[in-house]
Amino acid sequence: PKSQATLGKFFGTQ
Amino acid sequence: MLEARLEQANLLKKVVDAIKDLVQDCNFDCNDSGIALQAMDNSHVALVSMMLKSESFSPFRCDRNIALGINLTSLTKVLRCAANEDILTLKAEDAPDVVNLVFESAESDRLSEYDIKLMDIDQEHLGIPETEYAATISMPSAEFQKICRDLMALSESVSIECTKEGVKFACSGDIGSGSVTLRSHTNVEKPQLNVEIDLSEPVALTFSLKYLVNFCKASGLSEQVRLCLSNEVPLLVEYALSNNSYLRFYLAPKIGD
């Protein structure tokens, strides 16, 4: 089963 | 100070309606280019990015950067007091405690005025990299909404596969499975029904339908929706508004096996 990623994995904090 | 006049209150009503179940307290960042909002949902899986360009207002005046921290439930209560066709003016001082909303009827002399208390919101701001997406799909927003709702009856996830053949939305759950495939389609009479698929390489990604169904609350804002996908990156769902304004949603994929 796939698990839900969060956006922090892809987008950096500014 | 900020003074931004919208020809129709309906635009802001629809935008807030589309995002209020996803995000609760948001900064409306105002500067001379317009009013922007970026906020993640509590689970950090979905992100809302709204841009209302200054050209969408007439007149628009904003001398310095102002962040208006607004609770969307409060804003919804006040926007309900405006008729869809009312002229809406947002006003705020440079270091405001409140945002002032004025609703004017174009047809009568009614003028309503409301203030909403502002909040200090310490919001994480994410940098969204410029992405050349492998697949871009433009399709009727109502069609996308129906597909998401239909598939959600069967499963909590949808796989979106885009190939030269078309785009396939597929799901499988306890009661069975289902899929909807769309191919490029041009309707000369009704261009709002066009399906356009622009593909540089095949993509296949899985997303939670719960969030997609939520994004589809924006369907009333635009006849068409644009889906942008690349393998292993968040999906972009965009509703274009007039004057290059937009409402965008980003959704992190489900990954791993």
Side-chain angles (χ1 to χ4, degrees), chain B residues 30-143:
Chain B
C30 311
N31 60 39
D32 57 4
S33 65
I35 301 178
L37 175 155
Q38 193 207 77
M40 268 193 291
D41 80 308
N42 284 332
S43 60
H44 290 200
V45 168
L47 179 130
V48 178
S49 171
M50 177 205 80
M51 179 70 214
L52 299 177
K53 299 261 190 192
S54 56
E55 296 80 16
S56 291
F57 301 90
S58 171
F60 183 87
R61 177 186 163 197
C62 185
D63 317 315
R64 7 178 123 194
N65 297 1
I66 308 173
L68 303 173
I70 301 178
N71 171 274
L72 294 188
T73 307
S74 311
L75 182 56
T76 300
K77 285 179 186 170
V78 169
L79 287 174
R80 283 209 183 111
C81 308
N84 289 345
E85 293 76 27
D86 279 359
I87 298 161
L88 182 157
T89 308
L90 289 168
K91 290 186 208 169
E93 302 295 330
D94 280 340
D97 297 320
V98 295
V99 57
N100 176 252
L101 291 94
V102 179
F103 310 139
E104 292 169 81
S105 162
E107 288 173 343
S108 68
D109 282 334
R110 173 177 49 77
L111 186 141
S112 328
E113 201 166 345
Y114 295 86
D115 281 344
I116 300 175
K117 291 179 193 163
L118 297 175
M119 322 166 61
D120 261 329
I121 300 169
D122 190 17
Q123 225 159 32
E124 240 185 320
H125 208 82
L126 293 182
I128 301 164
E130 281 286 321
T131 309
E132 287 280 336
Y133 288 96
T136 301
I137 302 146
S138 297
M139 62 185 288
S141 52
E143 179 95 63

Side-chain angles (χ1 to χ4, degrees), chain A residues 2-5 7 10 12-14, chain B residues 44 124-125 127 232 252-253 255-256:
Chain A
K2 292 175 186 286
S3 62
Q4 178 65 59
L7 290 168
F10 309 96
T13 355
Q14 276 181 335
Chain B
H44 290 200
E124 240 185 320
H125 208 82
E232 307 273 313
I255 51 177

Side-chain angles (χ1 to χ4, degrees), chain B residues 160-227:
Chain B
I160 306 179
E161 270 184 61
C162 201
T163 62
K164 273 188 285 183
E165 306 305 310
V167 56
K168 183 175 181 183
F169 301 86
C171 74
S172 82
D174 293 341
I175 64 160
S177 60
S179 72
V180 180
T181 305
L182 299 176
R183 290 166 199 277
S184 291
H185 169 84
T186 308
N187 188 321
V188 181
E189 304 271 294
K190 296 177 183 165
Q192 69 271 23
L193 298 180
N194 287 358
V195 175
E196 203 175 307
I197 300 171
D198 187 4
L199 185 78
S200 60
E201 61 176 291
V203 290
L205 284 151
T206 302
F207 298 101
S208 163
L209 279 163
K210 176 179 77 175
Y211 293 97
L212 294 177
V213 166
N214 215 318
F215 300 167
C216 287
K217 288 178 185 162
S219 300
L221 280 163
S222 176
E223 299 259 27
Q224 287 253 317
V225 62
R226 201 160 66 108
L227 312 179

Side-chain angles (χ1 to χ4, degrees), chain B residues 3-42:
Chain B
E3 186 167 344
R5 183 175 173 276
L6 262 186
E7 213 49 63
Q8 293 222 318
N10 207 14
L11 176 69
L12 190 62
K13 276 164 142 326
K14 282 183 177 173
V15 168
V16 174
D17 224 37
I19 66 174
K20 70 175 171 25
D21 296 326
L22 212 54
V23 292
Q24 285 77 44
D25 299 328
C26 310
N27 279 323
F28 287 72
D29 296 308
C30 311
N31 60 39
D32 57 4
S33 65
I35 301 178
L37 175 155
Q38 193 207 77
M40 268 193 291
D41 80 308
N42 284 332

